[in-house]
Amino acid sequence: MFHPRRTIRTLRTLLLPLAAALALTTMPAQSAHAASTLTNGGFESDGTGTATPAGWSTYSASGQNAASFTESGGHSGSYRLTHWSSSAYKVETYQYLSGLTNGSYKLTAWVRSGGGQKSAYIALKNCGSAEQRTDLPVSSSGWIRIVTSVAVTNNQCTISVNSDAGAGNWINVDDLTFTSGSTGLAIKGSDISSLPKSEAKGGVYKNSSGTTGDAVTLLKNAGMNYARLKVWVNPADGYNNKARVLAMAKRVKAAGMKLLVDFHYSDFWADPGRQDKPAAWAGHSYSQLKTDVYNHTYDVLSALKAQGTTADMVQVGNEINGGMLWTEGSTNNWSQLAGLLNSGYDAVKAVNSGTTVALHLAKGGDLSGTRWWFDNAVSNGVRFDAIGLSYYGYWHGPLSDFQTTLDDAASRYGKPVFVAETAYPFRLDSDDSLTNQIDTTGELVSGYPASAAGQLAWMNTVAGIVEAVPNGRGLGVFYWEATWTAVTGNGWDPTDASSGNGWENQALFGYDDRALSSMSWFSHR
């Protein structure tokens, strides 16, 4: 992530996620429109103003069927389904399918929402297995594709679009498809690089009931299955180096998690704003730097393998939009940057050919910048297995831009993609003397409150977008620094023991050290 310095941010207005979905009153007996395939998924059959589109049924326990209607302005066609009313309303638009062959099915839908509802979601229910829901992300302008999957075991299923909304709240839904297939995320992870130093300086971690425990175990029990650990070469404080990573890797693997090792190739934070060479490599020629990258990468990874904690994934560089090991490895000299990146790749594969090598950029909503970077990487023969993007909604543009960029990267380069970093605040005030990176309501993604509920909604939204990447190429999400709570001595600057933490309001543990309810995002499909 961008190293924690206070800078002026340009807010890109986004709109709200939803609170936890609440079920509507039980709907009436199944409609006579039962079919074995989805009918009128694009809502093109009826024009505008139709409360009950062809193939669909509408139900409102309070008699507000008119809050569901078709209107012009579809995602790909001329029309869409809308839920809206000038007064508070509850409404469900649903379609009952029967005669299905039992198996796994995937629902895909394009949606928009102005936010503010008590709940707004698409569900697959009455399918013989547990109901599956996906909340509608808030995006008032750009359409977002979401997916939901379910196991059909009784030859039938109901597709349901639900709103429990206040006056003026609205959603748009269009282009639904229901096909064989399944969804889910392989990676539900977090960067926990700050944890060893936090614990050494007195940091405490508790479960939601207030019982002190091991942070790794608490995260694992919440559903986390992958840990990300950064590696610096010779940091001033002696943390995030080879020895510390080896110790943490034992804990990660003992908890049954997989391991991502994030090489910064620096003694300090590496990000789009700075990529400083380690002091030990200062003055080295380009040829020597290639050897340095290989030897350092091989040294750390071979030591991990020797202790039985082989890395499952490796990042060769961190947020390398401008390259790494400046100036020799700058994007101003792509042939040299390619040589450095391939040196890292070769070292990873020499230790373990099965380890995934990822390249990681910031600015996850920047389509043109991401294309430019990876087009150059490919044309210069850079080898890699996966693409990681940082996406912070308060810095990197709207959700629709993020989805476009992520989908494009997966398709254009034929590689799996993942979110290497994202986070969201659960409050705005500080727990130490340093001003937080995000500390005013004006910096928030519009409608996502700085609360545990807002943090959870953000994470489920981001996870849902990754889950919806076509052809199963969305690997998953890493939360950035779940355990970086405010602990004296564990500040952002490894050269300054008195530096504070500007990120504690985006941890997944509260100011009382208890696990936040937002940690439940790790249980995403």
Side-chain angles (χ1 to χ4, degrees):
M1 98 137 237
F2 292 107
H3 109 59
R5 293 180 302 233
R6 192 74 183 155
T7 56
I8 297 174
R9 309 292 182 187
T10 300
L11 179 68
R12 299 283 188 90
T13 300
L14 298 176
L15 296 173
L16 174 89
L18 294 25
L22 300 174
L24 294 180
T25 304
T26 304
M27 66 183 189
Q30 299 288 7
S31 162
H33 295 301
S36 59
T37 57
L38 185 66
T39 300
N40 194 22
F43 303 100
E44 296 297 306
S45 299
D46 309 288
T48 62
T50 302
T52 305
W56 295 85
S57 300
T58 304
Y59 174 68
S60 172
S62 53
Q64 297 163 296
N65 284 18
S68 171
F69 54 91
T70 56
E71 63 179 345
S72 60
H75 166 253
S76 64
S78 299
Y79 305 103
R80 67 196 182 203
L81 175 71
T82 292
H83 286 181
W84 176 88
S85 176
S86 59
S87 59
Y89 64 94
K90 290 184 180 182
V91 71
E92 176 180 21
T93 308
Y94 67 95
Q95 186 168 153
Y96 167 59
L97 303 179
S98 63
L100 297 172
T101 300
N102 288 339
S104 296
Y105 287 82
K106 179 176 73 173
L107 177 72
T108 301
W110 287 88
V111 302
R112 299 190 303 186
S113 171
Q117 300 91 344
K118 293 181 181 178
S119 64
Y121 60 92
I122 292 180
L124 297 173
K125 59 186 184 179
N126 306 320
C127 309
S129 60
E131 179 178 331
Q132 298 295 315
R133 295 182 180 181
T134 296
D135 289 347
L136 269 64
V138 176
S139 177
S140 64
S141 54
W143 290 88
I144 303 292
R145 183 182 59 255
I146 61 174
V147 295
T148 306
S149 63
V150 72
V152 173
T153 62
N154 60 356
N155 304 113
Q156 64 184 27
C157 196
T158 298
I159 297 166
S160 173
V161 181
N162 290 266
S163 293
D164 183 353
N169 295 158
W170 60 269
I171 64 170
N172 297 149
V173 179
D174 203 4
D175 292 340
L176 292 94
T177 61
F178 187 69
T179 59
S180 296
S182 60
T183 65
L185 296 177
I187 297 172
K188 291 164 280 191
S190 176
D191 193 306
I192 54 172
S193 299
S194 64
L195 181 58
K197 189 174 181 180
S198 173
E199 292 172 330
K201 300 297 182 181
V204 173
Y205 299 88
K206 302 176 181 180
N207 65 18
S208 59
S209 300
T211 301
T212 300
D214 174 67
V216 174
T217 302
L218 293 172
L219 290 163
K220 169 66 176 180
N221 290 344
M224 178 172 148
N225 65 3
Y226 225 119
R228 179 179 186 252
L229 301 175
K230 69 171 173 279
V231 186
W232 288 335
V233 179
N234 290 306
D237 63 357
Y239 286 87
N240 300 300
N241 60 8
K242 174 186 171 183
R244 302 288 185 177
V245 169
L246 286 170
M248 272 302 297
K250 288 183 178 179
R251 294 173 62 184
V252 167
K253 292 285 188 169
M257 298 188 200
K258 291 188 175 182
L259 173 64
L260 165 58
V261 178
D262 171 19
F263 285 94
H264 283 227
Y265 301 110
S266 179
D267 297 333
F268 196 73
W269 300 97
D271 57 47
R274 63 186 300 172
Q275 294 281 336
D276 301 337
K277 288 191 287 287
W281 304 358
H284 286 192
S285 66
Y286 165 65
S287 177
Q288 182 60 47
L289 288 172
K290 285 199 297 182
T291 301
D292 292 333
V293 168
Y294 186 96
N295 289 345
H296 172 60
T297 306
Y298 187 91
D299 179 48
V300 173
L301 296 180
S302 60
L304 285 167
K305 182 178 180 180
Q307 70 172 14
T309 60
T310 300
D312 299 283
M313 186 186 295
V314 168
Q315 282 180 218
V316 177
N318 186 76
E319 293 190 331
I320 51 176
N321 300 60
M324 65 184 196
L325 293 169
W326 289 348
T327 58
E328 287 80 359
S330 164
T331 50
N332 291 329
N333 192 332
W334 260 102
S335 63
Q336 290 193 173
L337 175 57
L340 294 169
L341 293 172
N342 282 337
S343 187
Y345 178 94
D346 290 342
V348 176
K349 297 299 184 177
V351 174
N352 181 50
S353 61
T355 296
T356 299
V357 177
L359 298 180
H360 170 211
L361 300 186
K363 304 179 182 179
D366 181 5
L367 175 63
S368 62
T370 302
R371 277 187 174 182
W372 175 84
W373 200 97
F374 278 100
D375 282 356
N376 274 287
V378 170
S379 66
N380 281 275
V382 176
R383 298 186 293 277
F384 60 99
D385 304 320
I387 293 171
L389 298 177
S390 293
Y391 178 63
Y392 297 97
Y394 36 71
W395 293 332
H396 296 157
L399 290 163
S400 54
D401 285 357
F402 166 56
Q403 183 168 68
T404 298
T405 303
L406 198 67
D407 289 354
D408 183 78
S411 173
R412 189 176 182 89
Y413 308 107
K415 302 290 186 182
V417 294
F418 65 98
V419 174
E421 298 181 17
T422 191
Y424 204 76
F426 64 89
R427 58 194 294 170
L428 294 174
D429 60 316
S430 296
D431 197 25
D432 64 10
S433 60
L434 183 65
T435 302
N436 289 330
Q437 284 281 288
I438 303 299
D439 69 332
T440 67
T441 55
E443 293 173 298
L444 296 173
V445 177
S446 181
Y448 284 76
S451 65
Q455 193 178 49
L456 174 60
W458 175 258
M459 289 308 300
N460 280 334
T461 293
V462 172
I465 287 176
V466 179
E467 186 181 19
V469 173
N471 300 311
R473 289 194 174 122
L475 290 178
V477 180
F478 288 93
Y479 195 86
W480 198 73
E481 284 290 11
T483 57
W484 200 8
T485 55
V487 175
T488 301
N490 191 25
W492 68 269
D493 188 350
T495 70
D496 180 4
S498 66
S499 65
N501 178 2
W503 204 259
E504 76 272 13
N505 67 327
Q506 300 195 62
L508 294 181
F509 291 87
Y511 289 4
D512 59 359
D513 300 322
R514 296 188 183 200
L516 296 169
S517 57
S518 49
M519 205 178 284
S520 63
W521 88 264
F522 288 120
S523 297
H524 193 95
R525 280 185 300 272

